[in-house]
Amino acid sequence: MAQEMKEAEQPEVIDLTDGRPKEYETPQQQRDREMFMQQHRDYMAKHTLQINDGSFMTRHHMGRPLSRTLSSPLVALSPIGSPQETQVPIAHTFTTGVVYDSLMLKHQCICGNNGHHPEHGGRLQSIWARLQETGLINRCERVRSRKATLEELQSCHSENYVLLFGTNPLNRPKLDATKLADLPMKNFVMLQCGGIGVDSDTIWNDLHTASASRMAAGCVIELAMKVATGEIKNGFAVVRPPGHHAEHQQAMGFCFFNSVAIAAKQLREKLKLEKILILDWDVHHGNGLQQIFYDDPHVLYISLHRHDDGNFFPGTGATEEVGTDDGIGFNINIAWSSGLSPPLGDAEYMAAFRSLIIPIIRDFDPEVILVAAGFDAACGHPAPLGGYRISPALYLSLSCFEYQVPFYSLNFFCFLRHSYDLPAICDCSQECVKALLGEECTPIKEEEMQRKPCQSALEVLQKTIAVQATHWPCIKRWAHTVGYSAVEAQQKEKEEVETVTALASLSMAVPHGHLQLVELS
């Protein structure tokens, strides 16, 4: 919960063992509460959850408590319209797949006002409308949507967690009350808007959240399998609710099921892939992704995120968190600090890719690349949700990895994650799909190409290189480029190539047998 919230703004805890309305509630709040309690009647009758001390977070497995920090995304957005979905007929062979299902729009707060919630269905509607308006959908293959099975969800989450959040009260199997005690969540909360939440950020709709969450995970799995098996070349999943904050037994940060992690697990189990890369460029750290694969050498997790020395949500993802046991070195955090002084932009992200990410990925040589494509580092997101100034053009460049890495020979796909400013996410999604289709890139602004990374970003990159060089010696070669602008880096690389070419030409020009060895005594 945001530290700036006053005590009076703390969400009311709803004890699921007590159906009596509170005396200080308004008649409307009482009706809303009674509606919720009616929806949960089977749940309450079978599964008693005890009220706790109001803390909804569990301690992270590496020792740092997950807490609501100053960046808790509690901001107001205006409701938007709902463009109608149209089915695009497939008339020819495609290389880029797109998956989406309107069922995911039903996950909404029972207050009925999207203006109170940054993560809402209008995000998907706006993106889908943009892809239709620009004709990009017509050049993509529609991948059939489906819900994830309970078994698939359990590859990353516990059985009781899956039953609690993946089924509705009418058909929810009987839960073992003794196992329920192991779940960190002991209660729901009543939100300021009158709705219900798992915590102060993460809304819960007992009729639709489970289905929407399973649909999001299933769509990501389906797209991942099609790309990995070569049915399509790459793809983009327009899904919600997001997932990268969801841990083994903890829903948080708008997330219930960790769809990218589940997809990676399915690729490992069903296709026996040995090298999977998960690249997470969401401005928030993917604590769930890190936790699930922290000891796994087959999944390389790389995250660029605002960290601010642990003071930006969710507080995890420090540079020193590199993995454990066999997974040491396969967890890489580029943990930006210094807040918004200044806000980071394209220059800093290009430096990170040039000096760290690209060399490591080339060395790892993944069979599949999964991108948790959160666009909340883009221009337009206020400080609580990001505050950075990444351009849509940079996301296009990152999507096609034009920095020295021929990723079009690999299986590559993006999954929409956290993004809240509607114009920004539409622009960024459009650029990503254009990149996947292989269309011409929108150029990055010349001022960003000429600008060197700021001092705070330079220090973070140097620290990350120092920590990771033991595990990835390849980055030592590129360490000197961290302070260059993109233009300077390109010029230096051009000069090095010309030098090598000149030396090679000189060697070829010397006639065979005319070299003399002179021993200096």
Side-chain angles (χ1 to χ4, degrees), residues 219-240:
C219 286
V220 171
I221 296 169
E222 195 68 14
L223 182 63
M225 296 298 290
K226 286 187 176 295
V227 174
T229 56
E231 292 187 46
I232 52 179
K233 192 172 185 179
N234 51 44
F236 188 77
V238 185
V239 296
R240 69 177 288 269

Side-chain angles (χ1 to χ4, degrees), residues 442-518:
T442 301
I444 297 171
K445 291 183 178 179
E446 185 61 27
E447 62 189 73
E448 286 298 304
M449 295 293 292
Q450 295 279 0
R451 186 171 67 85
K452 296 182 178 181
C454 66
Q455 183 61 34
S456 64
L458 179 60
E459 292 172 358
V460 168
L461 292 175
Q462 290 172 334
K463 179 180 179 181
T464 308
I465 290 172
V467 169
Q468 293 291 345
T470 301
H471 314 296
W472 302 96
C474 59
I475 60 179
K476 295 177 182 179
R477 178 187 172 190
W478 306 98
H480 68 285
T481 70
V482 293
Y484 293 167
S485 70
V487 170
E488 287 175 324
Q490 291 172 356
Q491 182 61 36
K492 293 291 184 181
E493 182 181 0
K494 180 181 178 182
E495 292 173 358
E496 290 180 4
V497 171
E498 290 175 348
T499 300
V500 171
T501 302
L503 291 174
S505 300
L506 180 61
S507 299
M508 294 295 293
V510 177
H512 180 70
H514 287 256
L515 288 176
Q516 294 183 353
L517 300 180
V518 179

Side-chain angles (χ1 to χ4, degrees), residues 197-210:
V198 172
D199 55 35
S200 58
D201 297 329
T202 310
I203 62 110
W204 174 257
N205 183 314
D206 202 61
L207 296 180
H208 301 298
T209 296

Side-chain angles (χ1 to χ4, degrees), residues 100-394:
Y100 165 82
D101 195 290
S102 60
L103 176 66
M104 293 177 284
L105 303 179
K106 294 184 178 181
H107 165 60
Q108 60 183 349
C109 185
I110 62 174
C111 76
N113 185 355
N114 286 340
H116 295 302
H117 305 286
E119 201 292 303
H120 57 82
R123 299 164 59 244
L124 264 61
Q125 290 176 308
S126 297
I127 292 170
W128 196 247
R130 172 67 68 84
L131 297 181
Q132 290 177 316
E133 292 167 0
T134 56
L136 291 172
I137 286 295
N138 295 331
R139 299 195 285 279
C140 297
E141 178 177 343
R142 286 291 302 275
V143 174
R144 183 179 298 277
S145 61
R146 70 169 178 88
K147 294 181 183 178
T149 67
L150 297 181
E151 182 181 8
E152 289 171 334
L153 298 176
Q154 289 174 30
S155 65
C156 290
H157 301 284
S158 71
E159 178 183 4
N160 281 280
Y161 179 90
V162 168
L163 293 176
L164 179 60
F165 290 115
T167 60
N168 63 54
L170 297 179
N171 61 17
R172 181 174 293 142
K174 184 176 180 180
L175 295 176
D176 186 337
T178 59
K179 293 183 178 179
L180 259 184
D182 295 334
L183 296 179
M185 198 205 83
K186 307 299 181 186
N187 43 258
F188 288 90
V189 299
M190 177 166 280
L191 307 178
Q192 293 280 315
C193 63
I196 304 302
V198 172
D199 55 35
S200 58
D201 297 329
T202 310
I203 62 110
W204 174 257
N205 183 314
D206 202 61
L207 296 180
H208 301 298
T209 296
S211 295
S213 299
R214 288 180 62 177
M215 178 61 74
C219 286
V220 171
I221 296 169
E222 195 68 14
L223 182 63
M225 296 298 290
K226 286 187 176 295
V227 174
T229 56
E231 292 187 46
I232 52 179
K233 192 172 185 179
N234 51 44
F236 188 77
V238 185
V239 296
R240 69 177 288 269
H244 77 157
H245 291 311
E247 297 185 340
H248 181 64
Q249 291 201 117
Q250 179 70 58
M252 60 178 291
F254 312 139
C255 304
F256 293 92
F257 297 123
N258 203 313
S259 52
V260 171
I262 295 167
K265 288 282 189 179
Q266 297 309 302
L267 295 178
R268 283 280 297 137
E269 294 175 4
K270 296 178 180 177
L271 301 184
K272 309 303 180 185
L273 298 188
E274 294 293 320
K275 292 183 178 182
I276 299 172
L277 166 67
I278 298 178
L279 175 62
D280 189 345
W281 64 49
D282 192 290
V283 78
H284 301 92
H285 180 244
N287 54 289
L289 284 169
Q290 174 169 290
Q291 182 198 63
I292 291 169
F293 297 111
Y294 205 60
D295 61 353
D296 191 341
H298 299 286
V299 179
L300 172 61
Y301 176 63
I302 303 178
S303 176
L304 305 89
H305 53 273
R306 184 177 167 189
H307 187 249
D308 296 354
D309 299 318
N311 292 310
F312 192 75
F313 182 84
T316 55
T319 304
E320 297 79 9
E321 296 170 11
V322 298
T324 188
D325 299 330
D326 292 338
I328 291 179
F330 292 92
N331 194 87
I332 299 171
N333 289 312
I334 299 176
W336 305 120
S337 294
S338 78
L340 300 178
S341 302
L344 302 194
D346 293 359
E348 287 76 22
Y349 274 63
M350 285 189 286
F353 270 77
R354 177 179 66 246
S355 62
L356 269 162
I357 297 176
I358 296 302
I360 290 175
I361 294 177
R362 289 175 64 92
D363 197 32
F364 181 62
D365 191 23
E367 297 167 271
V368 159
I369 302 171
L370 295 83
V371 177
F375 298 129
D376 43 7
C379 297
H381 289 83
L385 292 175
Y388 286 176
R389 297 176 179 173
I390 304 302
S391 70
L394 181 72

